Amino acid sequence: QVQLVESGGGVVQPGGSLRLSCVTSGFTFSRYWMYWVRQAPGKGLEWVSAIDRDGDREYYRNSVKGRFTISRDNAKSTLYLQMDTLDFEDTAVYYCAHPPGLYCSGDGCRFPDGFWEKYNSWGQGTQVTVSF
């Protein structure tokens, strides 16, 4: 049974930092690209960051480039997201995901319309709130 358990969220002031973790089980972690996806209040799911199987290639949506760092530990089947210089717009529930297939190449990641809405292997997510 596939399980993804996200943790590390919380309330932080603008400019602060958080480190999210996603502990996985039930699938061969090292064989999958891994993604962080978020859902802000009243908005749809959006891809945040991706990392290849070996951790050699990282991708970020433009709004988080230079502030977020994705990493993974294949020995621990765990995905991480270091989030620095957090902004109000980063407030969201953050999820990790492992869809099969390849969606990222040299200039970024692209997903079909409605991709994340159709994806159905989510954990419970972890809430990140950026507030004074």
Side-chain angles (χ1 to χ4, degrees), residues 111-125:
F111 304 91
D113 289 346
F115 179 85
W116 294 112
E117 284 69 22
K118 296 175 185 175
Y119 181 73
N120 62 1
S121 185
W122 299 106
Q124 85 288 351

Side-chain angles (χ1 to χ4, degrees), residues 12 46 93 101 106 116 118 121 127:
V12 63
E46 67 177 15
V93 179
W116 294 112
K118 296 175 185 175
S121 185
Q127 175 71 52

Side-chain angles (χ1 to χ4, degrees), residues 61-78:
R61 67 181 302 109
N62 287 339
S63 62
V64 308
K65 279 181 182 178
R67 301 188 298 119
F68 290 12
T69 304
I70 191 172
S71 61
R72 65 190 295 161
D73 185 335
N74 285 349
K76 296 181 178 180
S77 298
T78 301

